[in-house]
Amino acid sequence: MHTLICGSIAYDTIMVFQDYFKHHILPDKLHVLNVAFLVPDMRREFGGCAANIAYNLNMLGGNPLMMATVGNDFQPYAHRLEKLNLATTYIQQIDDTFTAQAFITTDLDDNQITAFHPGAMNFSHYNSIKDTVNINLGIIAPDGREGMITHAREFQECGIPFIFDPGQGLPMFSGDDLIDFIEKADYIAVNDYEGQLLQERTQYSLNELADKVEALIVTKGAHGSTIYAEGQQIEISSVKPAAIIDPTGCGDAYRAGLLYGITHSMDWQTTGQLASLLGAIKIAHRGGQNHTFSRNEIDQLYFEAFGNRIF
């Protein structure tokens, strides 16, 4: 059986401006803004929530399948996925589009100016859950709006449990939209900011949201995470990372741990701790897919962090 990961596949172009934006953006001239930044440092990363989650879950020994839409420029990414032994069965190429991509310029204060082009992601509803086989768990990660709505409905119709992970796509939905997602989902995963926004838009408290699903997971960065499940609030401590380099993709790594724990019937404490460990490993590396680990390494790191073995 497989875990189906619905979400984006994207290229991230990251540029570093060796100065401070505040030295070049004049507050009294914002209405006629016209600036250019010399960026001698640039790198291109493979990203997107679906691919980041699948990357981590695959290293854990899970069985991920991605469902995504990509553009005509997908070939370099396809070659990478092939080398990683990640199937492209449910990745559909859309003609005359680009794969989703983010262009991020960062200054020396770690301020960021980002432009995001959704491209083929806007056609995610062209994929159907009903075309899949041997799926026992799914996740809806940030994707095209219509695709997220369609896939939630199809997961429910197919009787496949899934995690609703709205992420940065949450502002696209009204309170009624979000309530509809929640009523269909089996699990919800958000960070603390998204959790606050979810409460404001639905007019439900975290405890009320938790009552509607098997588990509500709220991540809080360096402050760990809280899992609302079985009438309890389970506090998960963060794991001290080897270094703090780049938070990009940490949430996706955490979600891979959730998916693995759920499919292997782990208790919520263990599942959350595994997820927390994956996030700590990721943050010590740039980009969403440049860290590596083996199951043996995870087992040892888990033992060092929590005092017992996981595999």
Side-chain angles (χ1 to χ4, degrees):
M1 301 295 281
H2 297 273
T3 300
L4 186 67
I5 304 168
C6 301
S8 62
I9 290 178
Y11 292 112
D12 296 329
T13 299
I14 302 168
M15 297 158 283
V16 180
F17 176 49
Q18 299 293 336
D19 201 341
Y20 303 90
F21 294 144
K22 63 185 179 183
H23 292 165
H24 300 267
I25 298 176
L26 303 176
D28 61 337
K29 297 294 183 182
L30 290 178
H31 62 295
V32 287
L33 185 66
N34 187 355
V35 295
F37 302 110
L38 179 66
V39 288
D41 297 322
M42 185 179 83
R43 69 183 192 275
R44 196 184 203 195
E45 300 284 2
F46 296 99
C49 294
N52 289 346
I53 295 169
Y55 177 81
N56 286 278
L57 186 55
N58 190 54
M59 287 192 290
L60 276 178
N63 294 300
L65 288 172
M66 291 167 282
M67 177 169 278
T69 43
V70 297
N72 294 335
D73 55 346
F74 180 60
Q75 188 54 43
Y77 215 138
H79 180 62
R80 171 178 173 77
L81 296 177
E82 181 181 0
K83 289 197 299 182
L84 293 170
N85 199 30
L86 283 166
T88 58
T89 309
Y90 302 121
I91 297 175
Q92 182 177 171
Q93 184 169 310
I94 307 298
D95 291 336
D96 301 320
T97 67
F98 290 107
T99 300
Q101 34 204 304
F103 299 89
I104 305 165
T105 303
T106 302
D107 74 357
L108 295 182
D109 265 343
D110 282 334
N111 295 309
Q112 291 186 332
I113 296 175
T114 300
F116 182 73
H117 175 67
M121 193 179 79
N122 282 335
F123 301 90
S124 60
H125 56 285
Y126 283 18
N127 285 321
S128 175
I129 307 297
K130 296 179 180 180
D131 294 334
T132 66
V133 293
N134 296 325
I135 305 297
N136 63 348
L137 179 65
I139 183 170
I140 295 178
D143 208 351
R145 183 181 189 279
E146 189 174 347
M148 292 177 72
I149 292 171
T150 298
H151 295 155
R153 184 184 69 249
E154 291 180 341
F155 270 131
Q156 185 187 48
E157 290 173 350
C158 293
I160 300 171
F162 72 94
I163 297 175
F164 176 48
D165 171 26
Q168 62 266 35
L170 196 153
M172 295 190 295
F173 302 106
S174 68
D176 288 341
D177 291 332
L178 293 168
I179 289 170
D180 188 61
F181 275 115
I182 292 161
E183 289 176 346
K184 290 180 171 65
D186 298 82
Y187 313 92
I188 303 169
V190 290
N191 64 29
D192 50 356
Y193 174 80
E194 294 156 2
Q196 183 61 41
L197 186 58
L198 192 61
Q199 291 177 86
E200 292 175 1
R201 295 210 170 179
T202 63
Q203 296 297 296
Y204 289 130
S205 68
L206 290 178
N207 285 320
E208 289 171 328
L209 289 168
D211 287 342
K212 296 180 178 297
V213 291
E214 289 191 36
L216 166 66
I217 300 96
V218 181
T219 61
K220 298 176 286 188
H223 300 292
S225 53
T226 302
I227 299 177
Y228 299 76
E230 300 167 353
Q232 304 176 51
Q233 285 185 218
I234 304 166
E235 299 299 331
I236 307 296
S237 61
S238 61
V239 177
K240 185 177 181 179
I244 299 177
I245 302 296
D246 181 6
T248 305
C250 286
D252 297 327
Y254 186 103
R255 280 145 182 77
L258 291 179
L259 292 166
Y260 188 89
I262 292 169
T263 55
H264 289 80
S265 302
M266 293 178 174
D267 62 74
W268 284 111
Q269 187 76 43
T270 303
T271 297
Q273 290 174 171
L274 172 61
S276 181
L277 175 58
L278 295 190
I281 292 172
K282 207 310 309 163
I283 203 171
H285 300 79
R286 293 195 181 279
Q289 299 176 29
N290 292 320
H291 57 294
T292 59
F293 56 78
S294 67
R295 281 169 57 90
N296 286 340
E297 288 169 338
I298 287 291
D299 195 45
Q300 180 60 32
L301 289 170
Y302 188 93
F303 177 76
E304 292 172 4
F306 302 110
N308 57 301
R309 302 286 180 179
I310 194 166
F311 298 129

